[in-house]
Amino acid sequence: QVQLVESGGGLVQAGGSLRLSCAASGRTFSRYGMGWFRQPPGKERDFVATISYSGGSTYYADSVKGRFTISRDNAKNTVYLQMNSLKPEDTAVYYCATGRFGHASSRYQEYDYWGQGTQVTVSS
């Protein structure tokens, strides 16, 4: 089975930075695209960022563009989300995900496997 484990969340002040990691196992990591989603308190889960199997293509939600960077290290079976200039509205549980595709995708429906999430809290 595909296993995804997020880490790196925590409490940070507005304007600060965090780096989230997602470690994958159970499949050939380098062949599949990956994505990050987040779910703020009381709201639906939203797309954040995605990266193709090779790392050659990336795509970001408008709300994080220019502040967040997604990357991957296929040798380590890990995808990262570098979050800079954090805002209180970035507070959410962050999830990494993958599916049966190699491209970069923002479509929730294309993701079949999800991690348990990691909490990010940004204070004013």
Side-chain angles (χ1 to χ4, degrees), residues 16-73:
S17 298
L18 285 173
R19 191 189 196 194
L20 305 184
S21 298
C22 175
S25 63
R27 73 194 305 187
T28 306
F29 178 80
S30 63
R31 296 181 181 178
Y32 300 98
M34 300 287 294
W36 286 96
F37 291 75
R38 67 185 182 185
Q39 187 166 18
K43 298 182 179 180
E44 296 181 345
R45 191 172 299 184
D46 293 324
F47 166 75
V48 176
T50 183
I51 188 167
S52 62
Y53 75 98
S54 66
S57 297
T58 59
Y59 180 69
Y60 299 90
D62 288 341
S63 59
V64 307
K65 192 173 297 182
R67 300 188 298 120
F68 291 11
T69 302
I70 188 171
S71 62
R72 67 191 299 160
D73 186 339

Side-chain angles (χ1 to χ4, degrees), residues 75-88:
K76 297 181 178 180
N77 287 359
T78 302
V79 63
Y80 305 96
L81 185 68
Q82 178 67 46
M83 305 186 295
N84 299 325
S85 302
L86 283 162
K87 305 174 181 179

Side-chain angles (χ1 to χ4, degrees), residues 2-4 22 24-25 27-29 31-37 51 72 79 95-103 108-115:
V2 175
Q3 299 279 337
L4 301 174
C22 175
S25 63
R27 73 194 305 187
T28 306
F29 178 80
R31 296 181 181 178
Y32 300 98
M34 300 287 294
W36 286 96
F37 291 75
I51 188 167
R72 67 191 299 160
V79 63
Y95 300 88
C96 69
T98 191
R100 306 183 188 93
F101 56 90
H103 58 270
Y108 183 94
Q109 308 95 297
E110 294 191 16
Y111 292 90
D112 300 307
Y113 307 101
W114 297 83

